[in-house]
Amino acid sequence: MEEVRVRFAPSPTGYLHIGGARTALFNWLFAKKHNGKLVLRIEDTDTERLKEDSVSQILTSLKWLGLNWDEGPEVGGEVGPYYQSERREIYSKVAEQLLEEGKAYYCFCTSEILEAEREKQRAAKQPFRYARTCRDLPVEEAKARAAKGEPYSVRIKIPTEGNLTVHDLIHGDVTFDLTQFDDFVIVKTNGMPTYNFAVVVDDHLMRISHVLRAEEHLSNTPKQVLLYEACGFAVPKFGHMPMILAPDRSKLSKRHGATSVEEFREHGYLPEAIVNYLTLLGWAPGNEEEIFSLQDTVTQFELEKMSKKAAVYDTKKLTWMNGQYLSALPLEAVLPEAKIFFIKSGLVDEAWLEANKDYFARLVDVVRVRVKTLQEVVEAAEYFFKEVESYDEKGVGKHFKPEAAELLTVCINALEALETFDLASTEAAYNKIAEEQGLSLGKVVHPTRLALTGRTVSPGLFDVMVLLGKETTLSRMRKAVQYIKALA
């Protein structure tokens, strides 16, 4: 097999979309599986839609996901530059060669002329196709008009009839009717290459062997194949991944919630969970397994296992998966991400974290098993940093009945008497109280939990007690006793 070289080529018009991240992921997996290389190319020729910080955000998101590239920005390589805006001279030379060989031609049709044609075809309820007005202009005349400064674009000559069949690695053979295409523009009047032309030139010069991309690009493939052939370039293998649809099977958009990697990161999702979830959008290992690492996927990955059907984007599934990773990952992998959220919440600062490393690690470890995102870790830990100002209303009705004041007083006395205040001693004290009072352990635990946290759900009660410390634990329990007595 020839050297596998794939590419991820985002346009810096915004943050890294979840669909773009999946494209990058599958190219990364394919390269790793075949000991190949992933090239990162920035397609920044659409100057009107560019966003200033987009490139840095895309690079940051890819690195955060663990999708490193072998050639491209920040890495370099022998087939650069890797920004299309720096390759204009290359496109110009290829376009000139096509003009010289008669495979392309100057088009002097103005936007007004083209719009008039478009209006006629619209009125006739026909799709717009360029009428090839300039296709047969004498070459010398066209050159002379261009030399005098008359604005022009460059169009490729394509066959006016026949079919073109492209073999797709996922969809199989796909046939296109060439009469449905016109002589499309390859260089705009401003001298910038069009998307299809720049992509073909770059993929050839960067020795791309496989073009793996989203299904929405399938309609571009016949145009690109025609350009490969016109330029005398070898045609790479193509594979088009299924679309990603919203839960209602409409096109995925902002109204369906977070759609960029950056947004998910800000909401407290972990990169391992996002990568795992993206892997399952259109691909499966062939068994019921759902949780697997990036390295596990490399060993199992086969492009043939990709579905032809659209994948449905389900944030509930992603959130569940994030919870699995949050509780199962080594604590040292979670702590750096968790710190960001705690600082952002205002509960702690860098100085506090530096002075309380062990406490913070224990806190995150205790809290993370009951929640699904890092944002929820912070929310679930607030009562460790703030006084309890109110109690859950339903919890009060259920666990703060008048007799709870007496029970909590018994608990206070037992905890006060403990010489050692740790998990074993607090749990033993509560088991003894339950036995002596003739109650289930839960009947003793529930009012205590509400007293300490203001909530009916928390990490294990004895973990909470030890993290709060003896003094705070007793103080909050006394406060709850007074609250219950005031209700009577």
Side-chain angles (χ1 to χ4, degrees):
M1 188 178 183
E2 64 178 318
E3 182 191 21
V4 167
R5 289 176 62 85
V6 294
R7 47 79 163 175
F8 176 54
S11 297
T13 55
Y15 291 172
L16 181 62
H17 188 271
I18 212 75
R22 185 191 66 166
T23 298
L25 169 62
F26 282 111
N27 276 280
W28 188 94
L29 288 168
F30 191 79
K32 294 297 179 187
K33 177 74 174 182
H34 297 286
N35 297 312
K37 290 185 176 176
L38 171 63
V39 177
L40 177 62
R41 184 174 72 227
I42 305 299
E43 299 191 339
D44 57 348
T45 56
D46 190 351
T47 53
E48 291 180 4
R49 296 176 61 227
L50 296 184
K51 292 188 178 175
E52 192 174 336
D53 65 338
S54 186
V55 173
S56 63
Q57 286 288 353
I58 289 170
L59 301 187
T60 298
S61 292
L62 288 172
K63 285 186 279 190
W64 182 69
L65 290 172
L67 303 178
N68 56 304
W69 52 98
D70 301 290
E71 298 177 24
E74 298 185 355
V75 176
E78 59 184 31
V79 292
Y82 294 93
Y83 287 82
Q84 284 189 333
S85 58
E86 299 173 13
R87 299 174 63 84
R88 285 184 62 174
E89 192 175 326
I90 297 171
Y91 309 132
S92 295
K93 285 181 179 178
V94 178
E96 286 170 14
Q97 183 181 337
L98 291 172
L99 286 166
E100 287 299 320
E101 294 174 355
K103 295 174 180 176
Y105 58 92
Y106 297 95
C107 176
F108 300 97
C109 296
T110 63
S111 57
E112 291 78 15
I113 291 172
L114 294 174
E115 182 54 39
E117 279 187 24
R118 189 175 282 108
E119 195 53 48
K120 282 181 187 176
Q121 293 179 33
R122 193 181 292 128
K125 296 186 178 177
Q126 297 172 343
F128 175 71
R129 292 190 190 90
Y130 175 60
R132 296 185 165 99
T133 309
C134 299
R135 179 168 169 140
D136 297 319
L137 280 177
V139 176
E140 292 308 316
E141 179 189 334
K143 282 184 177 180
R145 290 172 67 177
K148 287 180 180 177
E150 187 174 346
Y152 66 88
S153 60
V154 178
R155 292 181 182 269
I156 190 74
K157 287 182 180 177
I158 71 167
T160 56
E161 57 184 14
N163 295 320
L164 175 66
T165 298
V166 177
H167 180 73
D168 188 276
L169 296 171
I170 296 169
H171 297 275
D173 287 344
V174 184
T175 299
F176 299 89
D177 180 357
L178 292 179
T179 63
Q180 301 303 303
F181 298 91
D182 59 10
D183 292 352
F184 54 91
V185 173
I186 60 172
V187 179
K188 303 173 192 175
T189 53
N190 63 3
M192 294 296 282
T194 57
Y195 166 77
N196 284 310
F197 182 52
V199 161
V200 166
V201 174
D202 289 344
D203 284 348
H204 170 70
L205 294 177
M206 293 180 179
R207 305 194 302 276
I208 301 303
S209 62
H210 296 74
V211 175
L212 310 178
R213 57 191 181 187
E215 190 176 4
E216 63 198 57
H217 288 287
L218 185 57
S219 60
N220 287 318
T221 306
K223 294 181 180 181
Q224 291 172 13
V225 170
L226 289 168
L227 282 169
Y228 278 109
E229 292 174 346
C231 295
F233 299 157
V235 180
K237 296 179 176 68
F238 290 93
H240 290 86
M241 293 171 261
M243 290 180 66
I244 300 176
L245 299 178
D248 61 3
R249 304 196 73 81
S250 64
K251 186 176 179 180
L252 190 60
S253 66
K254 285 282 186 185
R255 68 187 174 88
H256 298 108
T259 56
S260 76
V261 172
E262 187 67 21
E263 285 176 294
F264 279 112
R265 186 177 186 180
E266 288 176 354
H267 291 167
Y269 289 80
L270 295 163
E272 294 86 352
I274 294 174
V275 166
N276 192 156
Y277 179 70
L278 289 176
T279 304
L280 293 171
L281 284 181
W283 183 86
N287 53 38
E288 298 303 311
E289 191 179 6
E290 289 190 307
I291 305 291
F292 38 76
S293 71
L294 199 51
Q295 294 307 321
D296 291 338
T297 310
V298 171
T299 60
Q300 301 183 64
F301 185 74
E302 292 174 16
L303 202 62
E304 292 74 18
K305 289 181 179 178
M306 285 217 75
S307 172
K308 296 180 179 65
K309 297 179 181 177
V312 177
Y313 170 84
D314 181 1
T315 51
K316 289 181 181 177
K317 179 73 171 285
L318 171 58
T319 302
W320 167 82
M321 191 171 283
N322 199 68
Q324 299 296 303
Y325 274 95
L326 189 56
S327 61
L329 279 173
L331 183 59
E332 58 268 24
V334 175
L335 287 175
E337 295 289 332
K339 285 179 181 178
I340 296 168
F341 283 82
F342 274 84
I343 291 171
K344 190 166 63 174
S345 72
L347 292 176
V348 302
D349 56 24
E350 289 281 5
W352 185 93
L353 287 168
E354 185 61 31
N356 297 275
K357 287 180 182 177
D358 291 342
Y359 178 82
F360 181 70
R362 291 202 311 274
L363 174 65
V364 171
D365 201 26
V366 164
V367 173
R368 65 177 174 149
V369 296
R370 294 290 184 97
V371 295
K372 293 185 173 66
T373 69
L374 290 166
Q375 183 60 50
E376 290 178 3
V377 169
V378 175
E379 292 165 1
E382 280 184 345
Y383 51 79
F384 289 106
F385 300 92
K386 297 178 179 179
E387 275 299 321
V388 174
E389 300 295 341
S390 62
Y391 303 101
D392 178 83
E393 191 176 333
K394 287 184 179 178
V396 168
K398 192 172 183 181
H399 305 303
F400 274 6
K401 291 176 180 175
E403 59 269 24
E406 185 178 339
L407 179 59
L408 282 175
T409 301
V410 171
C411 294
I412 290 167
N413 293 333
L415 293 175
E416 252 183 330
L418 293 177
E419 292 183 9
T420 304
F421 197 80
D422 59 16
L423 289 176
S425 63
T426 52
E427 186 171 3
Y430 265 61
N431 278 317
K432 186 179 178 183
I433 292 168
E435 185 180 345
E436 290 175 348
Q437 298 290 323
L439 299 170
S440 67
L441 182 61
K443 293 287 186 182
V444 188
V445 162
H446 293 316
T448 307
R449 173 179 284 115
L450 188 59
L452 297 182
T453 70
R455 307 175 187 191
T456 56
V457 177
S458 77
L461 176 65
F462 308 114
D463 286 304
V464 172
M465 282 183 173
V466 173
L467 280 166
L468 285 172
K470 187 173 183 178
E471 186 179 335
T472 302
T473 295
L474 292 173
S475 171
R476 290 188 183 181
M477 291 175 73
R478 291 187 186 108
K479 181 180 176 181
V481 169
Q482 295 305 314
Y483 178 84
I484 296 167
K485 288 179 177 179
L487 291 176

